[in-house]
Amino acid sequence: MFTKKIKWEKKGLILEPRTELWWNRTHIMAPTIDPIPVEGGCFKVYFGGRNDKNQTHVAWAIIDLEQDGKVVDWAREPVIFPGHLGTFDDNGVVPNCLVNHGKRKYMYYVGFKPGGTTRMDLYAGLALSEDNGATFKKYSEAPVLDRNHINPYINTAPFVIYDHGLWRMWYVAGTAWRHRDLPRYNLQHATSHDGIDWQRDGTVCIDFRDENENALARPFVLLEDGVYKMWFAAKGKAYRLAYAESEDGINWIRNDDFVGITVSPDGWDSEMIEYAVIAQHKGRKFMIYNGNAYGTWGAGLAVEA
């Protein structure tokens, strides 16, 4: 493990909010790439855009990785909307992971709901597409990861792969709230036989490095040459990208020296860097990520040098 350290060359912002669209006044939050290209070097990237009420909707753009992420198309309307009043996602939906399986696309997403004694509630939902991503229908108005006796706090940001006949998930699991506005959450593991019903036993894959670290967020996992490779975000005072590898997807070794990218001296990603996803095209890796203020200003591209 840890045989290759990637050097990332930043290309700058490639996706910025289109304020003329009612659902995209701000934010390109949590870019989520469909690993199957539309054609050539063109890939569809789903993201969360916010309306005037600060509610997030899932929409998409198509970018050309052979032209440094040039935008070639942009959704006119969202494909996933917030849920009905009272449901777990009634105040916003943000994409997190797209799995192509059979003729379906499985979109795992984060559902937002304002909290009561705590600032917010976050749970993972699932939407399915039967028409190659043109439209999505929620599998249920209930989350696929809700509270249970294993995970009594927030449960969200699932990253899912279909691995040798078994669905595997790495997800954000709350462990406590330090106070109303500060949750603590680490990364745990779940399995499923259908991608819908998940079994959790509390297995922690990545835990806090120390007492000053409060948040481990948005895992992204690649399986390469028998090694599981994970990029994720870690926060003490502000998010930075972090990195770990594993031989079995359960027991991970964290080595942030291998992440190969950090904040810029100035500009849109100078304060924080987070929510990275990796696309692969013609033997190279392409990272799409958020910067300051959780994607308020957009999403940027970095390319394997």
Side-chain angles (χ1 to χ4, degrees), residues 150-151 169-175 186-190 202-205:
I150 297 292
N151 297 132
M169 174 192 288
W170 296 267
Y171 66 100
V172 167
T175 63
N186 60 20
L187 300 180
Q188 300 189 17
H189 181 262
T203 298
V204 176
C205 292

Side-chain angles (χ1 to χ4, degrees), residues 34 44 46 100 103 105 129-136:
D34 186 336
K44 182 177 280 190
Y46 296 88
N100 290 287
K103 295 182 179 180
K105 292 183 184 294
S129 176
E130 309 275 1
D131 56 6
N132 200 33
T135 62
F136 284 86

Side-chain angles (χ1 to χ4, degrees), residues 41-271:
C42 293
F43 288 75
K44 182 177 280 190
V45 180
Y46 296 88
F47 59 87
R50 297 193 186 183
N51 63 13
D52 290 329
K53 297 181 179 178
N54 205 32
Q55 297 168 321
T56 311
H57 300 64
V58 176
W60 55 262
I62 295 175
I63 61 172
D64 189 347
L65 294 180
E66 295 182 0
Q67 298 188 68
D68 287 341
K70 177 184 177 182
V71 176
V72 298
D73 199 2
W74 198 280
R76 306 300 185 267
E77 294 290 332
V79 291
I80 306 176
F81 291 74
H84 293 116
L85 181 64
T87 55
F88 78 101
D89 57 356
D90 68 1
N91 201 50
V93 287
V94 178
N96 202 74
C97 174
L98 188 142
V99 179
N100 290 287
H101 184 70
K103 295 182 179 180
R104 283 178 164 177
K105 292 183 184 294
Y106 291 66
M107 177 69 82
Y108 296 90
Y109 68 92
V110 178
F112 282 85
K113 186 174 182 61
T117 54
T118 55
R119 178 165 54 90
M120 62 190 178
D121 286 323
L122 302 175
Y123 299 102
L126 172 64
L128 301 171
S129 176
E130 309 275 1
D131 56 6
N132 200 33
T135 62
F136 284 86
K137 181 178 180 181
K138 292 180 183 178
Y139 169 74
S140 170
E141 290 194 296
V144 292
L145 281 188
D146 206 342
R147 292 186 179 99
N148 67 7
H149 69 288
I150 297 292
N151 297 132
Y153 301 99
I154 61 176
N155 298 284
T156 190
F159 187 85
V160 175
I161 65 173
Y162 185 70
D163 187 7
H164 300 94
L166 183 68
W167 294 74
R168 305 185 71 177
M169 174 192 288
W170 296 267
Y171 66 100
V172 167
T175 63
W177 286 80
R178 288 190 184 273
H179 55 71
R180 184 184 186 282
D181 295 318
L182 184 59
R184 295 196 89 199
Y185 39 87
N186 60 20
L187 300 180
Q188 300 189 17
H189 181 262
T191 59
S192 171
H193 291 288
D194 59 9
I196 296 171
D197 294 317
W198 292 91
Q199 288 74 53
R200 291 173 276 171
D201 61 9
T203 298
V204 176
C205 292
I206 309 287
D207 208 354
F208 310 110
R209 186 160 50 189
D210 54 46
E211 278 300 306
N212 295 319
E213 195 167 66
N214 290 311
L216 305 176
R218 215 209 185 191
F220 182 94
V221 177
L222 283 181
L223 177 57
E224 285 189 324
D225 301 324
V227 177
Y228 296 86
K229 302 177 179 180
M230 181 191 292
W231 288 261
F232 58 100
K235 182 168 69 174
K237 293 183 178 179
Y239 272 126
R240 298 289 185 271
L241 289 177
Y243 183 78
E245 292 190 356
S246 170
E247 292 181 337
D248 59 10
I250 300 292
N251 300 289
W252 292 82
I253 298 174
R254 177 175 173 178
N255 187 344
D256 293 349
D257 289 340
F258 270 72
V259 76
I261 189 170
T262 189
V263 294
S264 298
D266 52 49
W268 72 278
D269 62 349
S270 60
E271 299 171 3

